[in-house]
Amino acid sequence: MLILFREEVITRELEQSGAIVSSKRTHFNRTKALSLLLVASATVGYGCTKSTDTAGVNSPKNALLQVVTRTAEPIPEARLIRSDYAANEITKLCDAAIAKISQRLDAIAALKPEQRTLDNTLLAYENASADFSDETGNLTFMNYVSTNDALRAEGSACEEKIGQFSVGILTRRDLYNALKDQKPRNPEEARLLSETLEGYEQNGMKLSDEKLAEFKKLKGELASKETQFSTNLNNDATQVAFTAEELVGAQPDFLARLQKNAEGKYIVTGKSTDYVSVMENVTNAETRRRMLEAYLNRGGEANVKLLEEAVALRSKIAKVMGYETWADYRTVTRMAKDKKTVTEFLSSLRGKLAERNAQDMAKLLAFKKELEPSATTLNQWDLAYLSAQLQKRDYNLDTEKIREYFPSDVVVNGMFAVYSRMLGVKYVEVTNAKVWADGVKLYEIREASNDQVIAYFYADYFPRQGKYGHAAAFPLIAGRRMADGKYSIPVASIVANFTPPTGDKPSLMTHDEVETTFHEFGHIMHQVLTRAPYASLAGTSVAQDFVEAPSQMLENWVWSPVVLPMISGHYKDKSQKLPQDLLEKMIAAQDFMQGYSYTKQLLYGSFDMSIHTQGEKVDTTKTYDQLYREIIGQEPIAGGKFAAGFGHMMGGYDAGYYGYLWSKVYAEDMFSIFPKEDIMSPEVGGRYRKLILEQGNMRESIDLLREFLGREPNSDAFFKKIGI
């Protein structure tokens, strides 16, 4: 579990109208080992309060679905996440951790060849890296969640410092030489050695000293720019002021929670919850245009410049390493293995999706003409609004009405009931836990069979100034086998931005937010149910184009007629489940605008591959706008800077965003194994836990898939899902 640090951010950004990562999630891979230089692994967390009145929970068959709130047993201090740092304390602790691991690694490198053993080299290296990640994970986490501006700044500085330090470690020949000739004694050690050495070799170990020095310099510059980009987005305070007349159509609850400026205008922030509310409901097209323009300018010119500079640095690094492009360099360690495979995959999807997307666009234009007979074209700021309103008309689906049946506490408790039955775990809230902000909760995860505590997670659900703006799961302490043979208890946190409570109403979630929650929760389960012996190979430290598959598979549960009653309950009377007629309409509408939805994912993956195959000079705005025209078939908004807010490109998904679609193929294939008559089957769920979640990166992802499926993976279920 190395030094990682931000090299895999899979976050769910609630995007509408083609603004940003279309309802997909973010995942921070922090537990890869030093040798793999990955970063905070984002997986979602659990939150759970009292047992809900969900269907079937109290039956004897489902006894393990019980979710309880009670005072848990004392938690070891080492498993708690601090937030009460004094001024400069994060900086001091960060520096001390770097100094400590430096001494440990220097000692490994100083061993003479005849003194070296696998225990005092490879395993000592792995343990030092894992300890370092555990010690610093919480420090950098403060950058994303602390309520204190100064602590967030210190966390960001620590993150950047670690990024620079990791480059230095992974370019040390003395360490590589100490590791490379070791002889593993079993398959576990063989896997650790091969993955560790691959990490070093991908960081220039086979280069000349001159080229290695150049590589190291470029990687250090790149790490700095990536951190600056992320910090700019976290600190973004985009706001747009509108009059009441300009917000006609907005939901009363939304307006009630907005603040007003001195002129009496409503202040709408750039947070995804505000953005989606405006784009889906406000009738005034100019209001939507202004909102979209503001949203697409989060991070501004500064972030556009940082990304384009990063692309140039990446191109130089690839050339130093002997690759034609950054995409060639990055894909070699993934399931796809090369750029050609990725481009062929995206091209084949582009052809298959084009007709479905064109049908969806024609449907929206026809609806717009009904509202505006003189209309001849669609605007980018029309798409989310027309989609939402057309869905209301054709399926009689009112998203605001649906929200009333998804109070966040009911959703979370119901979700725990689902996962509890399927995976054999249960959840206990820890009362009076020390947390970093009001409303944050801490939970135990217990083995249902013996009540043993196997993990902890924090739940930080609601938006606030300075907090990470979307939904992600952060593993903070990794699972691994310790020297005494015991297994380290993992700790993770879900960081989300649910629609907050308003007036006399609790937090009410859209069905899309419910789907996001199931997805992110799946990341957490992948992280904390790991049984891999090494932190660098544990949990979500798998091939990047597979890591989303386990969580994407779990999105299917929120469409199940069996599960929906379990995760719903009207906020005024939670015994009133989602009505059958509304449930049937939701399921019938599931395919609505699927062509457009998947085409947006294709757009983002194509944009990523395009900018990372053009060389050092790239105009990200021009590239995005051109691809938007070609793939979506519409004109993009003038003045938009999509790239400025596309955090994936600076968070580890560079030349990797295709993985959302790639892994979706595997996700649907895995889902096909669950019996329709028992979607929460403990038998199949147990196999899924053992063969997918527990394994981490101890085996190749494709081999895990083959064993779970009992056959070669295929794309049949995926194409059936999207109707092509």
Side-chain angles (χ1 to χ4, degrees):
M1 172 164 118
L2 187 186
I3 255 185
L4 273 329
F5 159 77
R6 74 154 301 101
E7 175 143 94
E8 287 218 2
V9 181
I10 295 182
T11 120
R12 160 134 189 161
E13 305 181 271
L14 293 174
E15 172 274 324
Q16 296 293 329
S17 74
I20 194 147
V21 277
S22 164
S23 71
K24 292 306 158 203
R25 330 344 192 205
T26 297
H27 161 109
F28 283 82
N29 198 9
R30 166 177 312 274
T31 62
K32 249 324 212 185
L34 230 161
S35 46
L36 299 183
L37 185 65
L38 260 177
V39 313
S41 173
T43 0
V44 163
Y46 333 138
C48 127
T49 53
K50 294 184 179 179
S51 170
T52 61
D53 197 13
T54 52
V57 167
N58 296 318
S59 67
K61 178 181 178 181
N62 294 335
L64 26 109
L65 302 192
Q66 232 24 12
V67 181
V68 297
T69 300
R70 62 177 173 78
T71 301
E73 62 190 40
I75 299 176
E77 190 70 26
R79 311 328 277 176
L80 292 173
I81 300 304
R82 279 192 60 197
S83 58
D84 57 344
Y85 295 101
N88 298 318
E89 187 178 3
I90 288 178
T91 300
K92 292 176 181 177
L93 290 172
C94 188
D95 291 343
I98 290 174
K100 178 180 175 182
I101 189 175
S102 295
Q103 290 179 347
R104 294 174 71 177
L105 297 181
D106 287 345
I108 294 171
L111 291 169
K112 296 178 180 179
E114 63 272 16
Q115 296 175 312
R116 296 170 185 165
T117 67
L118 190 131
D119 290 316
N120 66 20
T121 57
L122 179 65
L123 297 186
Y125 177 88
E126 169 70 17
N127 290 333
S129 301
D131 290 346
F132 177 75
S133 186
D134 286 353
E135 290 166 5
T136 59
N138 184 50
L139 305 179
T140 59
F141 183 54
M142 290 299 104
N143 179 35
Y144 299 91
V145 299
S146 177
T147 58
N148 183 298
D149 293 347
L151 293 187
R152 289 201 307 276
E154 284 193 61
S156 176
C158 178
E159 189 173 53
E160 182 172 354
K161 194 177 297 182
I162 291 171
Q164 298 285 346
F165 176 68
S166 67
V167 172
I169 295 302
L170 291 173
T171 51
R172 285 183 59 171
R173 287 196 195 279
D174 55 353
L175 283 172
Y176 177 71
N177 290 334
L179 300 172
K180 67 183 180 67
D181 295 325
Q182 295 308 308
K183 305 299 181 187
R185 297 163 294 199
N186 53 55
E188 289 181 348
E189 292 174 349
R191 180 67 173 177
L192 177 64
L193 180 62
S194 66
E195 290 294 295
T196 302
L197 294 181
E198 182 181 75
Y200 267 90
E201 287 159 8
Q202 281 300 103
N203 279 275
M205 284 299 101
K206 294 187 176 180
L207 298 176
S208 66
D209 289 345
E210 181 182 355
K211 287 289 187 181
L212 181 59
E214 182 182 1
F215 175 89
K216 183 176 179 179
K217 176 178 177 294
L218 293 171
K219 285 282 279 190
E221 292 175 11
L222 177 60
S224 178
K225 293 186 187 301
E226 288 173 341
T227 301
Q228 290 172 35
F229 185 101
S230 176
T231 298
N232 288 348
L233 275 185
N234 287 344
N235 293 334
D236 184 81
T238 293
Q239 294 182 342
V240 190
F242 297 109
T243 64
E245 292 74 20
E246 290 171 325
L247 290 173
V248 169
Q251 297 299 315
D253 290 345
F254 169 66
L255 295 176
R257 68 176 174 79
L258 296 180
Q259 296 181 344
K260 292 184 178 181
N261 63 15
E263 298 174 351
K265 292 183 178 181
Y266 290 99
I267 299 173
V268 181
T269 74
K271 296 292 186 182
S272 58
T273 49
D274 285 8
Y275 168 74
V276 171
S277 293
V278 170
M279 299 305 293
E280 289 190 343
N281 297 297
V282 172
T283 60
N284 188 309
E286 176 59 16
T287 296
R288 298 196 306 270
R289 188 200 67 76
R290 289 172 57 200
M291 188 73 241
L292 177 61
E293 182 179 37
Y295 192 75
L296 288 179
N297 276 274
R298 292 168 306 129
E301 286 291 351
N303 269 14
V304 171
K305 184 172 184 288
L306 284 168
L307 176 57
E308 292 178 355
E309 290 172 345
V311 168
L313 288 169
R314 290 166 181 162
S315 181
K316 291 177 181 178
I317 292 168
K319 290 291 198 304
V320 169
M321 287 293 295
Y323 293 90
E324 182 182 359
T325 69
W326 183 254
D328 291 294
Y329 170 61
R330 290 287 272 171
T331 53
V332 72
T333 59
R334 297 174 181 159
M335 292 183 78
K337 298 304 180 187
D338 55 53
K339 175 186 67 179
K340 183 174 180 288
T341 300
V342 175
T343 54
E344 289 177 351
F345 171 71
L346 294 174
S347 294
S348 69
L349 279 181
R350 186 168 176 175
K352 290 180 171 68
L353 286 169
E355 184 177 351
R356 278 220 61 186
N357 181 64
Q359 291 171 355
D360 286 348
M361 292 297 105
K363 191 184 303 181
L364 293 184
L365 181 57
F367 181 51
K368 183 177 180 181
K369 287 181 177 179
E370 292 179 27
L371 303 177
E372 305 172 25
S374 62
T376 58
T377 60
L378 292 169
N379 296 309
Q380 189 175 356
W381 53 90
D382 293 331
L383 303 183
Y385 175 74
L386 293 173
S387 296
Q389 302 308 312
L390 183 59
Q391 190 175 51
K392 287 181 186 179
R393 189 197 71 175
D394 287 0
Y395 296 95
N396 195 24
L397 276 180
D398 184 338
T399 56
E400 294 304 314
K401 182 68 175 175
I402 292 171
R403 291 167 79 107
E404 295 181 359
Y405 288 92
F406 290 114
S408 60
D409 62 332
V410 173
V411 171
V412 169
N413 287 337
M415 177 177 68
F416 291 151
V418 171
Y419 281 72
S420 180
R421 171 171 166 75
M422 186 168 65
L423 299 176
V425 294
K426 58 184 179 179
Y427 313 93
V428 177
E429 181 178 350
V430 178
T431 58
N432 301 318
K434 292 182 179 180
V435 294
W436 52 84
D438 291 341
V440 177
K441 295 182 178 181
L442 173 63
Y443 299 89
E444 295 173 342
I445 303 172
R446 290 175 174 262
E447 194 72 70
S449 61
N450 59 18
D451 207 38
Q452 179 182 356
V453 175
I454 57 174
Y456 297 100
F457 76 91
Y458 290 83
D460 185 351
Y461 289 135
F462 300 108
R464 59 181 178 270
Q465 183 60 41
K467 177 185 171 183
Y468 178 76
H470 299 287
F474 294 73
L476 301 170
I477 298 177
R480 51 173 163 145
R481 190 170 56 216
M482 306 300 284
D484 60 4
K486 295 180 180 178
Y487 201 79
S488 174
I489 297 177
V491 181
S493 177
I494 179 173
V495 178
N497 284 271
F498 293 171
T499 302
T502 57
D504 60 349
K505 290 185 179 179
S507 169
L508 302 176
M509 302 173 70
T510 66
H511 189 252
D512 189 61
E513 288 176 319
V514 175
E515 186 178 83
T516 296
T517 305
F518 265 70
H519 175 105
E520 296 296 344
F521 189 70
H523 279 312
I524 285 261
M525 298 308 286
H526 197 177
Q527 184 64 42
V528 302
L529 295 185
T530 184
R531 300 302 295 173
Y534 308 117
S536 64
L537 303 179
T540 48
S541 299
V542 298
Q544 191 189 50
D545 44 8
F546 177 71
V547 72
E548 288 299 307
S551 290
Q552 287 174 325
M553 183 195 75
L554 293 161
E555 295 170 23
N556 288 287
W557 270 250
V558 305
W559 295 98
S560 165
V562 176
V563 172
L564 279 167
M566 297 177 63
I567 60 176
S568 67
H570 198 278
Y571 77 95
K572 290 184 178 179
D573 180 359
K574 293 178 182 177
S575 68
Q576 297 299 310
K577 303 301 177 182
L578 190 72
Q580 185 65 27
D581 63 332
L582 191 54
L583 185 155
E584 291 173 355
K585 290 174 184 176
M586 288 174 61
I587 294 174
Q590 184 179 5
D591 191 53
F592 179 73
M593 297 298 290
Q594 281 269 67
Y596 172 52
S597 177
Y598 280 99
T599 299
K600 284 185 295 184
Q601 289 298 297
L602 176 65
L603 168 66
Y604 305 141
S606 299
F607 169 77
D608 173 25
M609 291 303 289
S610 179
I611 65 173
H612 288 112
T613 54
Q614 290 185 37
E616 294 180 29
K617 296 199 64 147
V618 60
D619 184 328
T620 55
T621 300
K622 182 179 179 180
T623 299
Y624 174 78
D625 287 353
Q626 183 59 35
L627 286 170
Y628 189 90
R629 293 184 187 98
E630 294 174 3
I631 296 175
I632 302 296
Q634 305 296 328
E635 190 66 22
I637 187 173
K641 298 179 181 65
F642 168 82
F646 196 11
H648 291 71
M649 295 302 92
M650 299 289 265
Y653 272 65
D654 44 283
Y657 196 89
Y658 75 90
Y660 278 110
L661 287 169
W662 180 279
S663 59
K664 186 69 171 176
V665 173
Y666 298 126
E668 294 306 317
D669 206 10
M670 287 192 292
F671 179 58
S672 70
I673 300 300
F674 284 81
K676 291 182 174 59
E677 66 276 9
D678 188 6
I679 195 174
M680 294 178 288
S681 165
E683 179 183 355
V684 181
R687 289 185 62 246
Y688 169 72
R689 174 178 172 179
K690 179 180 179 180
L691 299 178
I692 302 295
L693 301 183
E694 291 185 358
Q695 295 298 314
N697 195 26
M698 293 302 296
R699 297 167 57 196
E700 292 294 319
S701 299
I702 191 66
D703 293 332
L704 301 181
L705 280 167
R706 288 179 181 129
E707 185 171 1
F708 177 69
L709 296 170
R711 56 168 170 77
E712 286 294 320
N714 64 59
S715 57
D716 295 350
F718 172 69
F719 287 129
K720 181 179 179 181
K721 167 92 171 179
I722 64 178
I724 59 176

